[in-house]
Amino acid sequence: MKIGKKFNELEFSEYLSIIENNKKYSDFNTLGLYRSLLENEKLEISQKLKIRDFANSYFQKTFDFLQIKDPLTYLKVKTIGEDLTKGDEENLWNIIKENQQKILKDKRIKHRNFGDYSKHNCGYDDCIWNGLMIRQNSWLVESNMHFKDDKIKYQQKIKSERRKSERKNEYKIIRDNLNG
């Protein structure tokens, strides 16, 4: 069975019944559901909050994974109806970064090519690469997921490689002295 119309065209009661019976719909999309809360102009803020909380009771893990897949949508949905100062917003972004790192570590995911981080989106409407799936280290990348620990790990890797080359040089000198 299909829903038959876009999420952002639904009424309050329709949202609730669709969320309750989500397994019956072949075209049900949780990301679309959460994005529609931001786009639907028929709903009041109190209704959006009720729908968000009701949806979270069914899809809490999916909502939490939005921090990795689409962090901006996660932030906007989480703060529906709230007036944020710059400091509050910065605090929330720091929390999202910590949660991203924790989720990736818990799920043992090594790569960081998810959702918005895996597509080119430079902000220009006429860009020929908009929406193109890209690799993490491509020159087309607009932003990538990085954490404070990355710098430490990188520095440790450089240090390790330097020590390895120093040991090789020492062994070569010892070998040369023994042979010659």
Side-chain angles (χ1 to χ4, degrees):
M1 184 161 66
K2 293 197 176 213
I3 295 171
K5 56 181 171 178
K6 295 179 181 179
F7 275 120
N8 59 3
E9 297 172 354
L10 297 174
E11 301 292 330
F12 177 72
S13 59
E14 292 175 312
Y15 268 105
L16 300 179
S17 68
I18 288 173
I19 292 169
E20 255 181 338
N21 303 311
N22 66 75
K23 293 186 188 237
K24 293 181 181 177
Y25 299 105
S26 60
D27 61 343
F28 186 82
N29 177 358
T30 50
L31 178 58
L33 168 74
Y34 285 115
R35 282 186 179 159
S36 74
L37 292 176
L38 304 172
E39 298 169 358
N40 196 330
E41 296 172 2
K42 296 178 183 178
L43 301 173
E44 297 174 11
I45 291 176
S46 61
Q47 291 175 324
K48 289 180 181 184
L49 292 172
K50 286 178 185 173
I51 292 169
R52 179 195 67 195
D53 295 339
F54 187 67
N56 284 350
S57 68
Y58 282 86
F59 314 114
Q60 186 63 50
K61 283 185 178 181
T62 307
F63 184 67
D64 291 340
F65 197 74
L66 270 182
Q67 294 175 83
I68 292 177
K69 190 173 184 180
D70 191 354
L72 186 59
T73 300
Y74 174 84
L75 180 72
K76 287 180 180 179
V77 170
K78 184 142 180 89
T79 60
I80 289 176
E82 295 179 25
D83 291 328
L84 298 175
T85 63
K86 270 290 194 201
D88 293 338
E89 193 173 330
E90 192 172 310
N91 244 359
L92 286 170
W93 277 114
N94 289 336
I95 291 169
I96 287 173
K97 282 225 181 265
E98 288 171 12
N99 289 342
Q100 284 176 334
Q101 190 171 11
K102 184 177 178 240
I103 290 168
L104 289 173
K105 185 178 180 185
D106 290 347
K107 292 187 177 283
R108 296 182 183 155
I109 299 173
K110 302 275 187 213
H111 71 90
R112 299 180 185 170
N113 221 18
F114 288 97
D116 286 348
Y117 298 108
S118 67
K119 294 180 183 174
H120 177 77
N121 184 11
C122 62
Y124 295 107
D125 293 333
D126 58 344
C127 180
I128 60 171
W129 291 299
N130 265 351
L132 179 71
M133 296 290 288
I134 51 177
R135 292 183 182 207
Q136 202 168 1
N137 297 325
S138 167
W139 63 274
L140 290 170
V141 170
E142 291 300 316
S143 66
N144 51 9
M145 201 181 300
H146 56 279
F147 308 113
K148 291 178 184 175
D149 292 351
D150 292 347
K151 185 176 181 183
I152 295 167
K153 288 178 185 174
Y154 179 73
Q155 289 171 340
Q156 288 172 343
K157 183 179 178 184
I158 297 290
K159 210 180 223 183
S160 169
E161 289 173 359
R162 188 182 69 233
R163 280 193 221 124
K164 187 177 177 181
S165 74
E166 287 172 358
R167 281 194 306 265
K168 279 185 178 179
N169 288 337
E170 288 173 9
Y171 290 134
K172 186 177 179 186
I173 291 170
I174 291 171
R175 222 178 344 174
D176 290 346
N177 288 339
L178 290 175
N179 293 335

